[in-house]
Amino acid sequence: MQKLAEPFQDEMELAFFVVEIGISKNEYEQLTETEKMFIRKRHEQKFINETTWMRNAVLNAVNNALRKKGKKFIDLFPKAPKKADKEYNENAVKTILEMEEKNGKDWVDRIYKANGMKTPKKGG
């Protein structure tokens, strides 16, 4: 009985590699057991990743469909903010402080005026 199960197992494994991986019988026979193991493991990881993405997409769609009226739509792929360039920002602050020493803070008032806004007063 044990001898019947072993060839059947080999045929099932061959079928897996041919159908799921897309290799021929000759290519399958040239693979070592270690290579087969790594291919099976990578295929398992791919399957888990694909099902996780599908689960996330369905969960997101259901949450968006059932969200309360007026509540913000939830993005499936939220955009991550870009990291700030510290050196650029430090140089910009230094330049602005130098400009303020020379010319005062009139440039802030001009920006507010150009946008049709009143300059905010300290203390609210």
Side-chain angles (χ1 to χ4, degrees), residues 26-102:
N26 290 336
E27 291 171 325
Y28 169 77
E29 290 170 350
Q30 292 175 358
L31 293 172
T32 65
E33 286 303 314
T34 305
E35 291 171 332
K36 291 176 188 176
M37 181 188 68
F38 280 117
I39 292 171
R40 274 190 238 101
K41 186 62 180 172
R42 182 63 192 114
H43 184 268
E44 178 185 356
Q45 289 172 342
K46 180 180 178 236
F47 176 77
I48 290 169
N49 288 342
E50 288 175 351
T51 53
T52 301
W53 279 110
M54 182 61 73
R55 180 195 67 89
N56 290 346
V58 170
L59 181 63
N60 185 270
V62 169
N63 284 338
N64 281 326
L66 298 177
R67 73 185 191 277
K68 296 195 185 228
K69 193 174 189 177
K71 193 170 181 187
K72 188 180 174 210
F73 184 83
I74 303 166
D75 289 328
L76 180 57
F77 301 107
K79 293 180 180 168
K82 295 179 182 175
K83 289 187 177 181
D85 184 358
K86 257 185 167 179
E87 187 177 326
Y88 175 82
N89 288 346
E90 288 170 357
N91 290 336
V93 169
K94 190 188 301 182
T95 304
I96 290 170
L97 292 174
E98 288 173 5
M99 285 175 48
E100 287 179 352
E101 276 184 35
K102 292 178 187 175

Side-chain angles (χ1 to χ4, degrees), residues 9-23:
Q9 185 66 29
D10 289 342
E11 290 172 0
M12 287 294 292
E13 188 174 86
L14 171 63
F16 168 80
F17 277 88
V18 170
V19 173
E20 294 293 328
I21 311 300
I23 64 172

